Amino acid sequence: MTEANKGRVLIVAGSDSGGGAGIQADIKTVTALGGYAMTAVTALTIQDTLGVHGIVDIPAEAVARQMAVCLDDIGADAVKTGMLHSVEVVEAVLAGLARPSAPSQLVVDPVMVAKGGASLTTDATVEAIRTRLIPRASVITPNLPEASTLLGRAVTGLADMDRAAFDLLDLGCGAVLLKGGHLDGELLRDVLASPEGLVYFDDPRIVTTSTHGTGCTLASAIATGLAQGLDLVAAVRRARAYVRRALATAPGFGHGHGPLNHGHTVQPFGV
């Protein structure tokens, strides 16, 4: 692989018709950070800033074929997964990751519930993600509700986060970025756990309702950094800075949880 090839990210996730999350947010993020985005769409969500109004499944075979043609022709330096709504789709992703052309870097964002509260997966799928996909991951990026689901216990405060991060690491992944954005308070803490120990990322909370797609965006930004050759801590640090700027400059679209400003690295809105 040449230096010129670095930055190719294959995104395996659902489409968001509102453009704030899912595949659309992923493509914008990878592009804004100088990477090249490819996609394997797992589902079509009928979605806006107010919530998910419907989901159209993509056949698992089509997911596997999308991955195969991208990996075998263009190649990838990292794969990022988002919404995986069935056991069959998880199996399709695992088949894609087993291809000789698949990269070693895998970022798993264990998407389970939409910002508006709609469930995006099943209990059997969660179990498949926990036991089969997460052990393959370089890093997973759960928020606190997702961590609670994966661990089978409530993770509700800063005092719980360190232990929860290490317990998630015990699922077999290379590292865990446990996100604390669901906690109240002026401080926002994310905890990165790896075999080397813990790294804390603390920042003042940005007060905004434009939070749709923050998880997708952060995971794709991390995947882009890894694909470009950054080490994990550097990739997380850059990704968090990108997301925070996207939150701070959000355009205020929609009547619910609005989208971020993914294009802040390119030009401001309206120019």
Side-chain angles (χ1 to χ4, degrees):
M1 182 186 305
T2 68
E3 287 296 317
N5 287 338
K6 285 189 175 180
R8 300 166 298 174
V9 182
L10 174 58
I11 303 144
V12 188
S15 168
D16 171 9
S17 57
I23 287 285
Q24 286 82 351
D26 298 326
I27 294 171
K28 294 173 191 177
T29 299
V30 174
T31 303
L33 291 173
Y36 180 78
M38 298 159 283
T39 62
V41 181
T42 62
L44 304 177
T45 69
I46 302 166
Q47 188 173 178
D48 55 20
T49 67
L50 297 172
V52 178
H53 306 286
I55 299 175
V56 180
D57 295 348
I58 301 297
E61 180 185 0
V63 176
R65 291 183 65 191
Q66 290 175 84
M67 291 185 69
V69 296
C70 290
L71 290 170
D72 292 353
D73 175 32
I74 299 170
D77 304 299
V79 173
K80 179 256 182 173
T81 65
M83 176 186 172
L84 307 176
H85 59 284
S86 70
V87 174
E88 292 77 17
V89 168
V90 174
E91 291 173 347
V93 173
L94 290 166
L97 294 171
R99 300 185 73 82
S101 53
S104 60
Q105 297 283 11
L106 171 64
V107 178
V108 172
D109 185 20
V111 177
M112 298 173 188
V113 178
K115 184 68 69 179
S119 177
L120 299 174
T121 191
T122 66
D123 291 345
T125 307
V126 171
E127 184 63 15
I129 292 170
R130 178 194 293 114
T131 60
R132 301 184 62 194
L133 185 63
I134 284 177
R136 172 70 174 74
S138 306
V139 59
I140 64 173
T141 61
N143 58 32
L144 295 186
E146 291 160 352
S148 298
T149 298
L150 289 169
L151 293 175
R153 69 171 192 270
V155 183
T156 58
L158 279 176
D160 301 330
M161 289 183 68
D162 290 4
R163 179 187 168 196
F166 278 126
D167 288 346
L168 288 165
L169 191 64
D170 286 342
L171 295 178
C173 51
V176 176
L177 181 67
L178 181 56
K179 302 173 297 187
H182 282 76
L183 298 179
D184 294 328
E186 297 181 359
L187 172 72
L188 188 149
R189 167 169 287 181
D190 296 337
V191 178
L192 179 65
S194 73
E196 285 72 46
L198 296 175
V199 179
Y200 298 111
F201 299 90
D202 293 339
D203 286 294
R205 183 181 299 277
I206 297 172
V207 180
T208 177
T209 59
S210 297
T211 56
H212 184 52
T214 50
C216 304
T217 300
L218 181 66
S220 284
I222 293 170
T224 305
L226 295 176
Q228 292 169 332
L230 296 181
D231 65 58
L232 181 57
V233 172
V236 170
R237 184 174 290 115
R238 187 183 73 166
R240 293 181 80 261
Y242 170 78
V243 171
R244 287 182 60 79
R245 182 62 179 164
L247 283 165
T249 61
F253 295 154
H255 298 90
H257 296 286
L260 313 182
N261 175 15
H262 291 94
H264 66 78
T265 63
V266 182
Q267 64 182 26
F269 275 91
V271 174

